[in-house]
Amino acid sequence: MPRHHELKFRVVTSLQRRVGNPVMKLLPFQTLLETTGRKSGLPRRTPVGGRRVGREFWIVSEYGEKSQYVRNIKADPRVRVRVKGRWHDGTAHLLAQDDARERLRSLPRMNSVAVRAVGTNLLTVRVDLTDS
């Protein structure tokens, strides 16, 4: 990763971890992705901006495989997604072959703008929902 991308990654993820995510998690209708911590085994909840399409939920990770939730998915793809206040079980798939920039066009606009602005290594994630 180029040096300026590494600095951007550190600054943005630090702000997300300390300020943004704790506040966003408290909002009752914020979409959340729950993974299992690859080291701790504990549930880890991350605010995400994605969209449900039928029995699938789509996300684009701004830092690809450097994102903690992506690392957790690699260790255990079983996840839960909270959409409109309701939790859904699912299995996450990392789709490196998907055009993440194009995928962002179909996801919520505000989040997509932010992901494009801060992202350095976009990666599409599809969650196949196992309940309705």
Side-chain angles (χ1 to χ4, degrees):
M1 178 179 289
R3 198 174 155 119
H4 67 280
H5 284 182
E6 183 62 33
L7 178 60
K8 187 183 208 183
F9 170 78
R10 287 177 187 235
V11 169
V12 172
T13 56
S14 180
L15 284 171
Q16 287 173 333
R17 196 173 301 130
R18 291 181 173 86
V19 180
N21 289 357
V23 171
M24 298 297 281
K25 284 189 233 183
L26 297 175
L27 301 174
F29 285 95
Q30 168 65 46
T31 302
L32 296 176
L33 174 68
E34 184 180 86
T35 59
T36 301
R38 64 193 176 283
K39 294 178 184 176
S40 69
L42 298 174
R44 299 295 182 205
R45 292 182 177 175
T46 305
V48 294
R51 174 164 284 142
R52 182 175 179 168
V53 179
R55 296 184 60 88
E56 299 172 336
F57 187 82
W58 293 87
I59 310 163
V60 173
S61 166
E62 64 260 49
Y63 296 113
E65 294 192 15
K66 282 192 83 169
S67 294
Q68 296 301 316
Y69 72 85
V70 170
R71 291 172 153 187
N72 290 342
I73 288 168
K74 286 178 78 173
D76 183 352
R78 293 171 300 166
V79 300
R80 293 193 323 148
V81 181
R82 186 177 78 180
V83 181
K84 297 181 181 175
R86 184 164 178 257
W87 285 100
H88 305 272
D89 294 325
T91 303
H93 304 276
L94 307 176
L95 305 175
Q97 73 281 5
D98 190 68
D99 183 343
R101 287 201 174 277
E102 184 62 31
R103 178 70 55 195
L104 284 171
R105 293 177 196 235
S106 69
L107 300 180
R109 188 172 191 189
M110 291 299 289
N111 181 73
S112 294
V113 168
V115 168
R116 273 193 289 276
V118 301
T120 57
N121 189 22
L122 305 181
L123 175 66
T124 301
V125 179
R126 183 189 76 228
V127 178
D128 295 336
L129 303 172
T130 55
D131 60 356
S132 52

